[in-house]
Amino acid sequence: MPEVNTPLGGLLDGPPRVVTAGVELFETTLAAQGVEVVPVDWRPPVDGLAEEVARIVADPRTEEANRTALERITAAEPRWVGITTAREAVGIETGQFLHAGPPITWERASGPLRGALIGAMLYEGMAETPEEAERLGASGTLELAPCHSQAAVGPMAGVVSPSMPMFAVENGAFGNTAYCTLNEGLGKVLRYGAYAPEVIERLRWMQEVLGPAMDAAVRQVDSLDLRAMIVQAIQMGDELHNRNRAASALFVREVVPPLLEAGIDPSDLADVVRFINGNEHFFLNLGMPAAKSSLDPARDLPGCSVIVAMARNGTDFGIQVSGTGDRWFTAPASVPDGLYLGDYGYDDANPDIGDSTIMETGGIGGFVMAAAPAIVRFVGGQAADALDATREMYGITLGEHPHFQIPILEFRGSPVGIDVTRVVRTGTVPAVNTGIAGKVAGTGQVGAGLVTPPMEVFTQAVRALAASAESGR
Amino acid sequence: MVDHLEVRPGAYADSVSLMQVSRRVSDVSGVIAALVAMGTELNLDVLAGMGFDPPDAGTGDLVVAIRADDPDAVDAALDELTAALAASSGGAATASFGDAPPPRTVRDAAVFGGDLALISTPGDSAYVEALDALRAGLHVMVFSDNVPVEQEVALKQEADERGLLVMGPDAGTAIVGGVGLGFANVVAPGPVGLVAASGTGAQHLTCLLDDAGVGVSHVLGVGGRDLKATVGGRSTRQALHALDADPATDLIVLLSKPPDEAVAAEVRELAAELTTPVVFGLLGPTEGDLTAVADTVISELGRAAPPWASWGERPASGAEDREPGGDRLVGLFSGGTLCSEALIIAQATLGEVRSNVTGDPDLKLTDEVTAPGHVLIDLGEDEHTRGRPHPMIDQQLRLERLAAEAAAPTTRVLLLDVVLGHGAHPDPAGELAPAIAAALAAAEQQGRPLDVVVSLCGTAGDPQDRDTQARVLAEAGAYVAASNADAARTAVAVIA
């Protein structure tokens, strides 16, 4: 564009407004001249990774790849389309299990993950007693793989065995599907590592009654628009990770009419409705595959520095970055900072566990804390802390979600598309909300709170991305 | 041990608040365990797990269970419960819903509005922050040094595509729209626009012009490498176009060391196409010095250059009545271009001069702060500013060197520069004058001659007030010159 009369966009026409980064002296001298100054609260990249960050930013593919990733994530149209068994959905057979987080072995698995595997073995009829199941687990014959490797996600232990029913969530914009098991409720449940007889009994009921009923219901309406429900729930005070109260209520409202029309046995129907209605986290297992299906199209873009998965297996916290493919960057998971149920305390808590951080990865969960101020009390915070948490996340993300709007921030879109280079540049880690599992297998949930992801996973990813960067022009 | 169990029907609070209340009650001294929760099935199970007999309570009822060492502890716990429930029902907020957290990167600062970003981070981060600025539509001045040249090229290409200007890297000075950026002197507005590949060079030239009553429209710093073949004069060309179109600029000065030949040819070609006349202020052994450039500019405007100001007594030329004593010239500079200019002048008369800014490998100093024979050191160079502020801001190192060199019996004349303006030390003369006076007194006591010459780069409008600074230095016994070339020639003449 020719700029005949306004060279440099009018830079020379008057005193410039100046952004300063670095030496504070210059901020001071500009302010003394009466200039409008916006100072950057600048600090060196974590771990001295300046050169690595520069190499990634200079990679000629990165800017475009990041733009593509953000466009794809925010253009997603997740819809619940049906219920399918894990055997069909994620292609596992008896003896094969999926679990939350990065890859792990039985030896390194924490209490809740082992407990959930024991429960799953009992449920699949691979063992008669917990002791037998434990021996089987320790024998090293189980085939374990991350949910994320099979387009699935699982809350807490995230254990998926072949007979379990799974929600199928299709991303209408890209045609990919993501899967997640159905939520069992709170307390002693498999995903928190409980495997008592009532846990297994509930799983059987979910397989035989709940799953088919839900499938019949969704067939009545073809599919359910999950994005629309997430949008509404955020405006109703959910952040959709630790608080799914509004979303679950909205889901009941949507699903009950088709359930009633689906010709389900009346006594089952009552149980199904009571079960869904009595679980305010029921929607979590739909929100998670919705986020997963939205993020998967952003995977494997060469040069892309966007995080496509954050997940924990109870031992390690791991992330995957678009530009580095399926590679996991892991570090020891920490114990969440939170509030505990009853007389449980910090010493009873297991390190961070679950794929539910897919919510934060997709710009929900801790990233929309501002929309869910009730949540901050998990850490003894105040409502203003919720605003700060969300506002800090804009500093590590590429953009704002056009649909997930936060009323109290004047309907600003949620921060979305975590750029791993910005995590390292700012020293700000993603804000993550989570439930807390007991560390002893079979305990169940002991609390809920906030977790601080280990910085090491982000620095590892930056090093790897820098090593594979193409040199600039 | 005492158990307290009560049900408060209809006293609803959300579970998150109640978990917090439970924790406060549990923390009361003497309390073994406590649960304050709504009577949900889950909570009643938890209660049973704690060894309480589950009461008859529904989901709308508040259950309070306290196990304590004694009844007093139960009472204390119940008091705490009352306080905690009151606090959880609101009104306790002290934090405000105030401003967003401070931006941590240039991208996030640019959201608040800006025309230009001034980057002075360590060099290894400057590229990334500058790119943030360009992508947010901001012009950039990169003050940082140690930026790899390929990053400079990449930034300037990106800027070119976006119609933005990159000043620097290693741009110490700019004046844009009357605003001094980095180190800059307070000069009157006027017809001369500068495109400068040298920071202190631009400062010195604008100060001399200001002294002569010639004002400045803008100073656009382009960085010392812009006119080298690798960078190809990208910023220089953009700056020339901008000043050509700027109605306030009647004369453009391009201030630089001699550029690479191919780049020079291109720039000359461009200059010829512009409607605004361009003066080439080239600095080098065969070209000229800053004072000569100022003279040219002033005469181009049809005026006469004034005699350049000086204060104190000019030391006598030493050729005729040489006293016994030292014979070394020692220069301690804070401005790179001022040091280079002094070096060129000194070499012409004295021959061998060791320096960290010389191009002669045999005479090149690296980390050393002194050497035998004549030495001119730029204390603002990287090797002397690592882990230490620039000498324009902090004179610690220079004061140490000044004392040491003045005490050396071989030293005959000390040459210093003092740079004033925005960003510079608030009172350099206040620190230097006592050191100069002490050095001269010590030399006199030892019966050896010593002269101190100061090149003072500043204007009447500078925050430090140049005339006051000059007087203080002159009263301490220094000869102070507004022209760096004058100062250098005077110092050289003492021993020539």
Side-chain angles (χ1 to χ4, degrees):
Chain A
M1 242 193 310
E3 290 172 296
V4 183
N5 291 319
T6 54
L8 303 176
L11 175 66
L12 305 183
D13 295 350
R17 295 165 302 162
V18 183
V19 168
T20 58
V23 183
E24 204 185 320
L25 173 73
F26 296 141
E27 176 196 333
T28 316
T29 57
L30 284 165
Q33 295 177 68
V35 174
E36 219 179 288
V37 186
V38 183
V40 175
D41 182 16
W42 193 85
R43 58 205 63 197
V46 175
D47 252 16
L49 291 179
E51 274 177 40
E52 285 79 359
V53 169
R55 218 173 303 145
I56 295 167
V57 171
D59 185 331
R61 304 167 302 176
T62 299
E63 193 192 12
E64 179 64 30
N66 283 355
R67 191 181 302 123
T68 303
L70 181 65
E71 277 167 12
R72 289 188 185 173
I73 294 167
T74 56
E77 295 168 5
R79 305 182 72 86
W80 172 39
V81 294
I83 298 281
T84 171
T85 66
R87 195 171 270 110
E88 295 164 38
V90 297
I92 51 173
E93 295 302 331
T94 307
Q96 296 179 319
F97 299 91
L98 301 184
H99 60 80
I104 192 161
T105 57
W106 174 273
E107 289 74 45
R108 294 191 66 242
S110 64
L113 179 50
R114 284 187 185 189
L117 286 166
I118 289 168
M121 284 184 264
L122 295 170
Y123 164 69
E124 293 289 344
M126 291 172 67
E128 293 296 321
T129 63
E131 294 72 27
E132 190 189 342
E134 192 157 2
R135 275 196 302 278
L136 200 55
S139 73
T141 52
L142 305 185
E143 287 181 50
L144 305 179
C147 290
H148 270 293
S149 67
Q150 302 297 328
V153 276
M156 303 315 285
V159 166
V160 181
S161 69
S163 308
M164 291 180 181
M166 297 186 91
F167 285 120
V169 173
E170 191 180 300
N171 177 347
F174 298 90
N176 61 302
T177 306
Y179 303 92
C180 185
T181 54
L182 279 55
N183 196 287
E184 312 158 74
L186 282 176
K188 287 200 177 359
V189 288
L190 188 83
R191 72 174 187 282
Y192 280 98
Y195 52 76
E198 71 258 33
V199 174
I200 310 304
E201 217 167 284
R202 191 189 302 114
L203 289 175
R204 294 239 163 78
W205 176 80
M206 290 169 71
Q207 178 187 339
E208 285 155 17
V209 178
L210 180 64
M214 299 303 288
D215 194 50
V218 76
R219 294 203 180 283
Q220 294 289 316
V221 291
D222 193 39
S223 68
L224 266 187
D225 183 348
L226 297 178
R227 187 177 75 187
M229 292 170 73
I230 291 169
V231 166
Q232 286 185 65
I234 290 171
Q235 306 215 348
M236 292 166 74
D238 278 359
E239 43 70 88
L240 292 128
H241 185 166
N242 254 355
R243 183 182 160 99
N244 283 285
R245 203 167 281 185
S248 296
L250 289 170
F251 180 74
V252 169
R253 198 176 70 173
E254 293 289 332
V255 86
V256 165
L259 259 179
L260 295 174
E261 290 160 7
I264 294 161
D265 179 281
S267 68
D268 285 344
L269 187 61
D271 288 344
V272 165
V273 172
R274 195 179 301 115
F275 183 83
I276 304 171
N277 198 43
N279 176 3
E280 61 189 35
H281 281 293
F282 196 79
F283 190 81
L284 177 63
N285 293 42
L286 281 159
M288 286 175 56
K292 170 70 174 165
S293 73
S294 306
L295 285 156
D296 273 355
R299 283 180 173 260
D300 302 320
L301 298 168
C304 181
S305 59
V306 172
I307 295 174
V308 291
M310 295 194 287
R312 314 87 87 199
N313 57 29
T315 304
D316 303 316
F317 188 112
I319 63 168
Q320 291 180 309
V321 173
S322 175
T324 50
D326 292 338
R327 184 164 164 193
W328 285 96
F329 303 99
T330 66
S334 58
V335 173
D337 175 17
L339 288 176
Y340 291 88
L341 297 162
D343 54 359
Y344 290 123
Y346 185 86
D347 294 336
D348 301 308
N350 197 72
D352 200 17
I353 186 166
D355 283 337
S356 51
T357 30
I358 195 71
M359 303 310 284
E360 281 78 9
T361 319
I364 323 174
F367 284 43
V368 292
M369 284 266 272
I375 285 295
V376 292
R377 292 205 165 165
F378 272 127
V379 284
Q382 297 178 330
D385 299 337
L387 266 69
D388 289 346
T390 292
R391 288 194 286 207
E392 275 187 15
M393 294 305 102
Y394 289 107
I396 60 169
T397 47
L398 288 173
E400 299 176 10
H401 202 292
H403 301 287
F404 303 159
Q405 295 174 346
I406 303 167
I408 200 162
L409 297 181
E410 300 295 354
F411 295 88
R412 188 173 180 188
S414 82
V416 65
I418 307 170
D419 181 348
V420 72
T421 65
R422 289 195 181 269
V423 173
V424 167
R425 282 172 67 185
T426 61
T428 305
V429 292
V432 172
N433 296 340
T434 194
I436 307 174
K439 68 181 172 191
V440 177
T443 308
Q445 180 171 12
V446 298
L450 302 188
V451 74
T452 306
M455 182 50 91
E456 203 186 327
V457 299
F458 306 101
T459 55
Q460 283 176 30
V462 161
R463 286 195 172 93
L465 205 54
S468 68
E470 290 184 358
S471 61
R473 25 192 179 178
Chain B
M1 197 170 72
V2 188
D3 276 4
H4 172 91
L5 179 65
E6 64 172 305
V7 177
R8 300 183 180 182
Y12 178 80
D14 73 88
S15 59
V16 181
S17 298
L18 289 176
M19 285 165 83
Q20 203 177 33
V21 169
S22 286
R23 185 158 77 176
R24 278 182 64 173
V25 174
S26 304
D27 287 347
V28 170
S29 152
V31 171
I32 299 161
L35 177 69
V36 181
M38 302 309 292
T40 63
E41 212 174 318
L42 170 69
N43 289 332
L44 295 178
D45 278 354
V46 171
L47 200 60
M50 291 165 70
F52 283 90
D53 286 333
D56 184 16
T59 54
D61 305 329
L62 183 72
V63 179
V64 178
I66 298 167
R67 176 168 297 147
D69 292 333
D70 50 57
D72 285 351
V74 171
D75 288 345
L78 288 172
D79 287 347
E80 182 65 19
L81 173 66
T82 309
L85 283 174
S88 80
S89 62
T94 49
S96 75
F97 279 11
D99 298 332
R104 295 271 174 90
T105 63
V106 168
R107 180 198 67 171
D108 297 321
V111 170
F112 296 96
D115 304 302
L116 182 147
L118 171 54
I119 314 283
S120 55
T121 64
D124 55 7
S125 283
Y127 164 71
V128 171
E129 297 299 338
L131 201 56
D132 260 20
L134 295 175
R135 288 181 177 167
L138 271 59
H139 303 278
V140 188
M141 171 169 171
V142 183
F143 178 88
S144 320
D145 52 11
N146 291 316
V147 177
V149 71
E150 63 273 14
Q151 293 184 349
E152 176 174 351
V153 173
L155 282 177
K156 288 181 174 179
Q157 274 175 353
E158 181 103 17
D160 237 1
E161 288 161 15
R162 294 170 187 266
L164 297 168
L165 177 68
V166 173
M167 297 190 274
D170 204 6
T173 302
I175 297 173
V176 175
V179 171
L181 297 155
F183 295 114
N185 300 90
V186 179
V187 295
V192 178
L194 250 69
V195 178
S198 144
T200 40
Q203 281 192 271
H204 191 42
L205 179 59
T206 53
C207 288
L208 291 176
L209 293 177
D210 191 72
D211 240 13
V214 173
V216 167
S217 59
H218 308 279
V219 176
L220 304 178
V222 293
R225 291 186 302 221
D226 192 67
L227 289 162
K228 293 197 187 295
T230 39
V231 184
R234 277 180 188 275
S235 291
T236 301
R237 285 199 298 259
Q238 251 183 322
L240 287 172
H241 276 300
L243 290 176
D244 187 37
D246 174 41
T249 303
D250 297 335
L251 179 70
I252 299 171
V253 182
L254 174 60
L255 194 62
S256 166
K257 285 178 188 160
D260 283 2
E261 218 153 295
V263 181
E266 276 178 33
V267 171
R268 280 187 195 283
E269 203 174 306
L270 168 61
E273 290 167 12
L274 299 181
T275 52
T276 313
V278 179
V279 171
F280 283 78
L282 299 184
L283 311 173
T286 53
E287 283 81 11
D289 55 55
L290 290 158
T291 307
V293 174
D295 289 334
T296 309
V297 170
I298 293 161
S299 72
E300 281 285 326
L301 291 168
R303 306 193 203 175
W308 300 113
S310 68
W311 298 261
E313 196 183 331
R314 186 187 295 262
S317 299
E320 291 110 47
D321 53 347
R322 187 184 294 275
E323 301 170 56
D327 59 357
R328 288 171 73 225
L329 165 67
V330 177
L332 300 170
F333 282 83
S334 59
T337 302
L338 301 181
C339 187
S340 299
E341 180 173 287
L343 179 66
I344 289 165
I345 289 168
Q347 277 170 332
T349 309
L350 303 175
E352 279 193 1
V353 180
R354 288 187 166 73
S355 173
N356 61 341
V357 297
T358 184
D360 183 339
D362 293 338
L363 300 171
K364 176 93 175 168
L365 300 178
T366 51
D367 288 343
E368 305 94 319
V369 285
T370 190
H374 308 300
V375 281
L376 291 177
I377 306 224
D378 174 16
L379 294 170
E381 274 290 309
D382 296 349
E383 61 267 24
H384 300 303
T385 54
R386 248 171 243 133
R388 182 187 287 135
H390 194 278
M392 280 187 204
I393 304 168
D394 181 330
Q395 306 200 84
Q396 185 64 33
L397 177 63
R398 190 147 75 151
L399 289 168
E400 283 168 23
R401 292 313 310 154
L402 172 60
E405 293 289 8
T410 50
T411 303
R412 176 65 185 85
V413 58
L414 281 168
L415 176 60
L416 313 169
D417 66 345
V418 172
V419 181
L420 308 178
H422 291 301
H425 190 284
D427 182 18
E431 286 188 354
L432 279 173
I436 291 169
L440 291 172
E444 192 173 346
Q445 211 163 27
Q446 292 161 17
R448 64 187 176 86
L450 181 69
D451 285 297
V452 178
V453 177
V454 176
S455 152
L456 179 60
C457 176
T459 68
D462 281 336
Q464 298 89 345
D465 182 14
R466 184 194 61 173
D467 286 8
T468 307
Q469 293 281 312
R471 256 196 316 279
V472 170
L473 291 166
E475 278 162 15
Y479 170 71
V480 182
S483 155
N484 186 60
D486 175 18
R489 289 198 184 95
T490 303
V492 167
V494 173
I495 48 175

